[in-house]
Amino acid sequence: MSTEQIRVAVTGASGRMGREVVKMVLQDEGLTLAAAISPSTGPVDAGTLVGLSPCGITVQADLETALKDAGADVVVDFTVPHAAYGNASLSIAYGARPIIGTTGLTPEQMTELDELCKEKGIGALVAPNFSIGAILMMKFAAQAAKYMPHVEIIEYHGDQKLDAPSGTSIKTAELISEARQELRQGNPNEKEVIEGARGGYYNGFRIHSVRLPGVFAQQEVVFGGHGQTLKIRHDSYERAGYMPGVAVACKKVMTYSGLIYGFEHLMD
């Protein structure tokens, strides 16, 4: 990988995650901010937008306009699912590697992005979670499932989160399912007195989504066995906790061709 700074464009730059990404890029010696995009912000300096000194990069309203001039190596996207696919396709067309932290892309969309990347010979990353601790939680849960196959997932987020269950809990469930055979849990004659009380069904076990004000992001994976339980829990308290992972992703995606699903693949 080149020792030159990696040029990063940030979509959704005025959003809560976007601001953290802009700040991280401006403070990381291996990265340089190539562009910041936000349709509603207006032409302000990106550094000023995030409470730092002016950096000379003006926030732009249109991604394609920015990509034409930016020479971006990477485009980081924490916007919304209905925009992320189009942003990624456009980024790839300009030779920039998309890093997508937005959940909600369909498997078909990810397959299409993978094919587009391979045609260009560049990499892309779709990651439900960039927290190093959360990735370790998923890995530990997958290991535990080999020995304690009875499991349920409880995930907690703020009441403004749009998708349920969370992308992190789905990814955790996928990793658990790779480590254990499908096992339908609970009493075969159980009945939900209130529909949905047992949570969402996934490969034999349940995922429960809690949405409350005052909660940021937490997940607990609970395993049950004869006379014992095991709980693996991760708590996120602020968005800055995701930024070390985003920085690693910006650097490592430069070495891949095709789409990678899950930050854990960058930690191997």
Side-chain angles (χ1 to χ4, degrees):
M1 184 168 57
S2 173
T3 57
E4 295 181 2
Q5 286 186 319
I6 296 166
R7 295 179 59 79
V8 181
V10 182
T11 62
S14 64
R16 288 172 293 184
M17 283 295 289
R19 289 172 186 255
E20 291 293 340
V21 176
V22 170
K23 187 182 298 184
M24 178 276 293
V25 172
L26 290 174
Q27 295 175 332
D28 190 301
E29 293 182 355
L31 307 174
T32 188
L33 187 66
I37 301 94
S38 176
S40 60
T41 300
V44 300
D45 185 275
T48 304
L49 178 69
V50 300
L52 300 178
S53 300
C55 65
I57 299 295
T58 301
V59 177
Q60 299 184 60
D62 180 67
L63 175 59
E64 184 166 16
T65 301
L67 288 173
K68 287 178 180 178
D69 303 325
D73 300 307
V74 172
V75 176
V76 180
D77 189 336
F78 282 95
T79 56
V80 291
H82 69 263
Y85 174 76
N87 290 345
S89 300
L90 187 60
S91 300
I92 295 167
Y94 280 90
R97 299 150 182 84
I99 294 176
I100 304 168
T102 302
T103 56
L105 289 178
T106 67
E108 293 77 18
Q109 288 175 324
M110 287 194 282
T111 297
E112 290 172 8
L113 293 176
D114 179 49
E115 292 171 354
L116 291 173
C117 282
K118 288 176 178 176
E119 289 174 5
K120 282 280 188 177
I122 60 177
L125 173 68
V126 175
N129 201 312
F130 285 87
S131 165
I132 304 298
I135 301 304
L136 291 173
M137 176 264 297
M138 295 181 205
K139 286 178 172 284
F140 297 157
Q143 286 294 314
K146 297 177 183 178
Y147 307 99
M148 301 181 74
H150 291 266
V151 59
E152 299 205 5
I153 299 172
I154 309 170
E155 56 96 352
Y156 308 76
H157 282 85
D159 60 345
Q160 298 304 302
K161 184 171 178 60
L162 298 179
D163 55 326
S166 68
T168 298
S169 65
I170 293 173
K171 184 62 177 177
T172 306
E174 291 171 350
L175 293 174
I176 289 172
S177 296
E178 291 173 5
R180 93 202 230 296
Q181 293 183 339
E182 182 170 358
L183 171 65
R184 193 176 185 93
Q185 300 173 183
N187 191 309
N189 298 316
E190 73 178 11
K191 179 181 178 181
E192 287 184 326
V193 178
I194 298 176
E195 184 180 354
R198 288 288 291 118
Y201 182 88
Y202 188 96
N203 200 38
F205 58 95
R206 301 285 180 168
I207 304 175
H208 308 267
S209 297
V210 178
R211 298 289 178 266
L212 289 170
V215 178
F216 184 64
Q218 304 164 1
Q219 180 168 295
E220 189 170 52
V221 188
V222 185
F223 296 88
H226 293 295
Q228 62 179 324
T229 61
L230 170 66
K231 297 180 180 179
I232 302 173
R233 175 169 174 148
H234 178 262
D235 295 73
S236 291
Y237 301 106
E238 60 179 359
R239 291 171 180 82
Y242 301 115
M243 292 306 109
V246 176
V248 169
C250 288
K251 296 163 187 175
K252 287 200 171 184
V253 77
M254 299 293 294
T255 68
Y256 287 89
S257 177
L259 184 141
I260 304 160
Y261 173 51
F263 185 78
E264 69 276 6
H265 298 295
L266 275 60
M267 293 177 64
D268 291 339

PDB file of all heavy atoms in Angstrom, residues 5-27:
ATOM      1  N   GLN A   5      -0.833   9.880   1.570  1.00  0.00           N
ATOM      2  CA  GLN A   5      -2.097  10.011   2.278  1.00  0.00           C
ATOM      3  C   GLN A   5      -3.254   9.550   1.397  1.00  0.00           C
ATOM      4  O   GLN A   5      -3.273   9.771   0.192  1.00  0.00           O
ATOM      5  CB  GLN A   5      -2.320  11.466   2.690  1.00  0.00           C
ATOM      6  CG  GLN A   5      -1.454  11.927   3.862  1.00  0.00           C
ATOM      7  CD  GLN A   5      -1.833  13.322   4.303  1.00  0.00           C
ATOM      8  OE1 GLN A   5      -2.087  14.198   3.475  1.00  0.00           O
ATOM      9  NE2 GLN A   5      -1.875  13.538   5.607  1.00  0.00           N
ATOM     10  N   ILE A   6      -4.216   8.899   2.023  1.00  0.00           N
ATOM     11  CA  ILE A   6      -5.407   8.428   1.326  1.00  0.00           C
ATOM     12  C   ILE A   6      -6.433   9.545   1.322  1.00  0.00           C
ATOM     13  O   ILE A   6      -6.737  10.136   2.360  1.00  0.00           O
ATOM     14  CB  ILE A   6      -5.969   7.174   2.028  1.00  0.00           C
ATOM     15  CG1 ILE A   6      -4.944   6.041   1.934  1.00  0.00           C
ATOM     16  CG2 ILE A   6      -7.305   6.761   1.425  1.00  0.00           C
ATOM     17  CD1 ILE A   6      -5.235   4.877   2.853  1.00  0.00           C
ATOM     18  N   ARG A   7      -6.963   9.841   0.155  1.00  0.00           N
ATOM     19  CA  ARG A   7      -7.893  10.942  -0.006  1.00  0.00           C
ATOM     20  C   ARG A   7      -9.324  10.446   0.237  1.00  0.00           C
ATOM     21  O   ARG A   7      -9.799   9.554  -0.449  1.00  0.00           O
ATOM     22  CB  ARG A   7      -7.760  11.553  -1.408  1.00  0.00           C
ATOM     23  CG  ARG A   7      -6.394  12.200  -1.646  1.00  0.00           C
ATOM     24  CD  ARG A   7      -6.270  12.787  -3.042  1.00  0.00           C
ATOM     25  NE  ARG A   7      -7.283  13.800  -3.305  1.00  0.00           N
ATOM     26  CZ  ARG A   7      -7.233  15.058  -2.865  1.00  0.00           C
ATOM     27  NH1 ARG A   7      -6.205  15.464  -2.115  1.00  0.00           N
ATOM     28  NH2 ARG A   7      -8.190  15.912  -3.155  1.00  0.00           N
ATOM     29  N   VAL A   8      -9.969  11.026   1.237  1.00  0.00           N
ATOM     30  CA  VAL A   8     -11.265  10.552   1.710  1.00  0.00           C
ATOM     31  C   VAL A   8     -12.352  11.591   1.456  1.00  0.00           C
ATOM     32  O   VAL A   8     -12.196  12.764   1.835  1.00  0.00           O
ATOM     33  CB  VAL A   8     -11.216  10.223   3.214  1.00  0.00           C
ATOM     34  CG1 VAL A   8     -12.573   9.707   3.700  1.00  0.00           C
ATOM     35  CG2 VAL A   8     -10.117   9.210   3.515  1.00  0.00           C
ATOM     36  N   ALA A   9     -13.440  11.169   0.816  1.00  0.00           N
ATOM     37  CA  ALA A   9     -14.637  12.000   0.710  1.00  0.00           C
ATOM     38  C   ALA A   9     -15.662  11.465   1.707  1.00  0.00           C
ATOM     39  O   ALA A   9     -15.758  10.261   1.932  1.00  0.00           O
ATOM     40  CB  ALA A   9     -15.208  11.950  -0.708  1.00  0.00           C
ATOM     41  N   VAL A  10     -16.428  12.368   2.310  1.00  0.00           N
ATOM     42  CA  VAL A  10     -17.404  11.987   3.331  1.00  0.00           C
ATOM     43  C   VAL A  10     -18.783  12.467   2.894  1.00  0.00           C
ATOM     44  O   VAL A  10     -19.006  13.677   2.743  1.00  0.00           O
ATOM     45  CB  VAL A  10     -17.054  12.599   4.709  1.00  0.00           C
ATOM     46  CG1 VAL A  10     -18.070  12.148   5.759  1.00  0.00           C
ATOM     47  CG2 VAL A  10     -15.637  12.203   5.122  1.00  0.00           C
ATOM     48  N   THR A  11     -19.697  11.525   2.677  1.00  0.00           N
ATOM     49  CA  THR A  11     -21.079  11.904   2.391  1.00  0.00           C
ATOM     50  C   THR A  11     -21.847  12.013   3.710  1.00  0.00           C
ATOM     51  O   THR A  11     -21.481  11.409   4.705  1.00  0.00           O
ATOM     52  CB  THR A  11     -21.766  10.859   1.490  1.00  0.00           C
ATOM     53  OG1 THR A  11     -21.804   9.599   2.181  1.00  0.00           O
ATOM     54  CG2 THR A  11     -21.023  10.694   0.188  1.00  0.00           C
ATOM     55  N   GLY A  12     -22.906  12.807   3.687  1.00  0.00           N
ATOM     56  CA  GLY A  12     -23.634  13.038   4.934  1.00  0.00           C
ATOM     57  C   GLY A  12     -22.774  13.730   5.956  1.00  0.00           C
ATOM     58  O   GLY A  12     -22.862  13.459   7.169  1.00  0.00           O
ATOM     59  N   ALA A  13     -21.935  14.659   5.499  1.00  0.00           N
ATOM     60  CA  ALA A  13     -20.914  15.252   6.361  1.00  0.00           C
ATOM     61  C   ALA A  13     -21.487  16.054   7.523  1.00  0.00           C
ATOM     62  O   ALA A  13     -20.809  16.246   8.531  1.00  0.00           O
ATOM     63  CB  ALA A  13     -19.987  16.144   5.525  1.00  0.00           C
ATOM     64  N   SER A  14     -22.708  16.522   7.400  1.00  0.00           N
ATOM     65  CA  SER A  14     -23.296  17.310   8.480  1.00  0.00           C
ATOM     66  C   SER A  14     -24.073  16.459   9.477  1.00  0.00           C
ATOM     67  O   SER A  14     -24.554  16.956  10.498  1.00  0.00           O
ATOM     68  CB  SER A  14     -24.227  18.385   7.909  1.00  0.00           C
ATOM     69  OG  SER A  14     -25.335  17.787   7.245  1.00  0.00           O
ATOM     70  N   GLY A  15     -24.220  15.159   9.188  1.00  0.00           N
ATOM     71  CA  GLY A  15     -24.916  14.259  10.106  1.00  0.00           C
ATOM     72  C   GLY A  15     -24.062  13.952  11.320  1.00  0.00           C
ATOM     73  O   GLY A  15     -22.876  14.278  11.389  1.00  0.00           O
ATOM     74  N   ARG A  16     -24.658  13.281  12.285  1.00  0.00           N
ATOM     75  CA  ARG A  16     -23.945  13.018  13.535  1.00  0.00           C
ATOM     76  C   ARG A  16     -22.736  12.110  13.321  1.00  0.00           C
ATOM     77  O   ARG A  16     -21.661  12.371  13.875  1.00  0.00           O
ATOM     78  CB  ARG A  16     -24.924  12.425  14.555  1.00  0.00           C
ATOM     79  CG  ARG A  16     -25.926  13.445  15.082  1.00  0.00           C
ATOM     80  CD  ARG A  16     -27.010  12.824  15.939  1.00  0.00           C
ATOM     81  NE  ARG A  16     -27.880  11.952  15.143  1.00  0.00           N
ATOM     82  CZ  ARG A  16     -28.959  11.347  15.629  1.00  0.00           C
ATOM     83  NH1 ARG A  16     -29.299  11.504  16.902  1.00  0.00           N
ATOM     84  NH2 ARG A  16     -29.702  10.581  14.856  1.00  0.00           N
ATOM     85  N   MET A  17     -22.888  11.056  12.521  1.00  0.00           N
ATOM     86  CA  MET A  17     -21.736  10.211  12.220  1.00  0.00           C
ATOM     87  C   MET A  17     -20.808  10.886  11.218  1.00  0.00           C
ATOM     88  O   MET A  17     -19.581  10.782  11.329  1.00  0.00           O
ATOM     89  CB  MET A  17     -22.204   8.865  11.677  1.00  0.00           C
ATOM     90  CG  MET A  17     -22.725   7.920  12.750  1.00  0.00           C
ATOM     91  SD  MET A  17     -21.459   7.398  13.935  1.00  0.00           S
ATOM     92  CE  MET A  17     -20.461   6.329  12.913  1.00  0.00           C
ATOM     93  N   GLY A  18     -21.379  11.578  10.244  1.00  0.00           N
ATOM     94  CA  GLY A  18     -20.565  12.251   9.241  1.00  0.00           C
ATOM     95  C   GLY A  18     -19.610  13.251   9.840  1.00  0.00           C
ATOM     96  O   GLY A  18     -18.441  13.347   9.442  1.00  0.00           O
ATOM     97  N   ARG A  19     -20.066  14.013  10.820  1.00  0.00           N
ATOM     98  CA  ARG A  19     -19.188  14.988  11.485  1.00  0.00           C
ATOM     99  C   ARG A  19     -18.017  14.299  12.176  1.00  0.00           C
ATOM    100  O   ARG A  19     -16.881  14.794  12.143  1.00  0.00           O
ATOM    101  CB  ARG A  19     -19.991  15.803  12.499  1.00  0.00           C
ATOM    102  CG  ARG A  19     -20.966  16.800  11.877  1.00  0.00           C
ATOM    103  CD  ARG A  19     -21.846  17.423  12.952  1.00  0.00           C
ATOM    104  NE  ARG A  19     -22.883  18.274  12.396  1.00  0.00           N
ATOM    105  CZ  ARG A  19     -22.865  19.608  12.412  1.00  0.00           C
ATOM    106  NH1 ARG A  19     -21.852  20.239  12.983  1.00  0.00           N
ATOM    107  NH2 ARG A  19     -23.849  20.300  11.875  1.00  0.00           N
ATOM    108  N   GLU A  20     -18.301  13.167  12.810  1.00  0.00           N
ATOM    109  CA  GLU A  20     -17.222  12.444  13.474  1.00  0.00           C
ATOM    110  C   GLU A  20     -16.202  11.933  12.464  1.00  0.00           C
ATOM    111  O   GLU A  20     -14.990  11.947  12.718  1.00  0.00           O
ATOM    112  CB  GLU A  20     -17.787  11.281  14.291  1.00  0.00           C
ATOM    113  CG  GLU A  20     -18.587  11.692  15.503  1.00  0.00           C
ATOM    114  CD  GLU A  20     -17.755  12.366  16.589  1.00  0.00           C
ATOM    115  OE1 GLU A  20     -16.515  12.182  16.589  1.00  0.00           O
ATOM    116  OE2 GLU A  20     -18.340  13.071  17.416  1.00  0.00           O
ATOM    117  N   VAL A  21     -16.687  11.479  11.305  1.00  0.00           N
ATOM    118  CA  VAL A  21     -15.771  10.989  10.276  1.00  0.00           C
ATOM    119  C   VAL A  21     -14.905  12.136   9.756  1.00  0.00           C
ATOM    120  O   VAL A  21     -13.685  11.994   9.614  1.00  0.00           O
ATOM    121  CB  VAL A  21     -16.540  10.326   9.120  1.00  0.00           C
ATOM    122  CG1 VAL A  21     -15.569   9.902   8.017  1.00  0.00           C
ATOM    123  CG2 VAL A  21     -17.320   9.108   9.609  1.00  0.00           C
ATOM    124  N   VAL A  22     -15.515  13.279   9.474  1.00  0.00           N
ATOM    125  CA  VAL A  22     -14.748  14.438   9.005  1.00  0.00           C
ATOM    126  C   VAL A  22     -13.675  14.807  10.020  1.00  0.00           C
ATOM    127  O   VAL A  22     -12.503  15.032   9.668  1.00  0.00           O
ATOM    128  CB  VAL A  22     -15.684  15.638   8.738  1.00  0.00           C
ATOM    129  CG1 VAL A  22     -14.872  16.903   8.503  1.00  0.00           C
ATOM    130  CG2 VAL A  22     -16.586  15.358   7.545  1.00  0.00           C
ATOM    131  N   LYS A  23     -14.045  14.858  11.274  1.00  0.00           N
ATOM    132  CA  LYS A  23     -13.092  15.207  12.330  1.00  0.00           C
ATOM    133  C   LYS A  23     -11.952  14.194  12.386  1.00  0.00           C
ATOM    134  O   LYS A  23     -10.765  14.566  12.500  1.00  0.00           O
ATOM    135  CB  LYS A  23     -13.817  15.270  13.668  1.00  0.00           C
ATOM    136  CG  LYS A  23     -12.971  15.790  14.820  1.00  0.00           C
ATOM    137  CD  LYS A  23     -13.745  15.771  16.134  1.00  0.00           C
ATOM    138  CE  LYS A  23     -14.958  16.672  16.088  1.00  0.00           C
ATOM    139  NZ  LYS A  23     -15.645  16.722  17.410  1.00  0.00           N
ATOM    140  N   MET A  24     -12.292  12.909  12.310  1.00  0.00           N
ATOM    141  CA  MET A  24     -11.272  11.868  12.357  1.00  0.00           C
ATOM    142  C   MET A  24     -10.302  11.988  11.193  1.00  0.00           C
ATOM    143  O   MET A  24      -9.077  11.921  11.363  1.00  0.00           O
ATOM    144  CB  MET A  24     -11.938  10.494  12.365  1.00  0.00           C
ATOM    145  CG  MET A  24     -10.983   9.299  12.369  1.00  0.00           C
ATOM    146  SD  MET A  24     -10.389   8.806  10.724  1.00  0.00           S
ATOM    147  CE  MET A  24     -11.899   8.216   9.971  1.00  0.00           C
ATOM    148  N   VAL A  25     -10.841  12.195   9.985  1.00  0.00           N
ATOM    149  CA  VAL A  25      -9.986  12.298   8.802  1.00  0.00           C
ATOM    150  C   VAL A  25      -9.035  13.489   8.923  1.00  0.00           C
ATOM    151  O   VAL A  25      -7.841  13.383   8.604  1.00  0.00           O
ATOM    152  CB  VAL A  25     -10.844  12.408   7.524  1.00  0.00           C
ATOM    153  CG1 VAL A  25      -9.973  12.721   6.309  1.00  0.00           C
ATOM    154  CG2 VAL A  25     -11.628  11.119   7.288  1.00  0.00           C
ATOM    155  N   LEU A  26      -9.540  14.602   9.402  1.00  0.00           N
ATOM    156  CA  LEU A  26      -8.701  15.791   9.540  1.00  0.00           C
ATOM    157  C   LEU A  26      -7.594  15.611  10.575  1.00  0.00           C
ATOM    158  O   LEU A  26      -6.565  16.291  10.519  1.00  0.00           O
ATOM    159  CB  LEU A  26      -9.564  17.005   9.915  1.00  0.00           C
ATOM    160  CG  LEU A  26     -10.496  17.516   8.812  1.00  0.00           C
ATOM    161  CD1 LEU A  26     -11.407  18.615   9.355  1.00  0.00           C
ATOM    162  CD2 LEU A  26      -9.701  18.036   7.617  1.00  0.00           C
ATOM    163  N   GLN A  27      -7.787  14.687  11.509  1.00  0.00           N
ATOM    164  CA  GLN A  27      -6.813  14.496  12.585  1.00  0.00           C
ATOM    165  C   GLN A  27      -5.917  13.280  12.383  1.00  0.00           C
ATOM    166  O   GLN A  27      -4.995  13.077  13.160  1.00  0.00           O
ATOM    167  CB  GLN A  27      -7.556  14.376  13.924  1.00  0.00           C
ATOM    168  CG  GLN A  27      -8.283  15.656  14.320  1.00  0.00           C
ATOM    169  CD  GLN A  27      -9.119  15.510  15.579  1.00  0.00           C
ATOM    170  OE1 GLN A  27      -9.595  14.422  15.900  1.00  0.00           O
ATOM    171  NE2 GLN A  27      -9.295  16.609  16.308  1.00  0.00           N
TER     172      GLN A  27
END
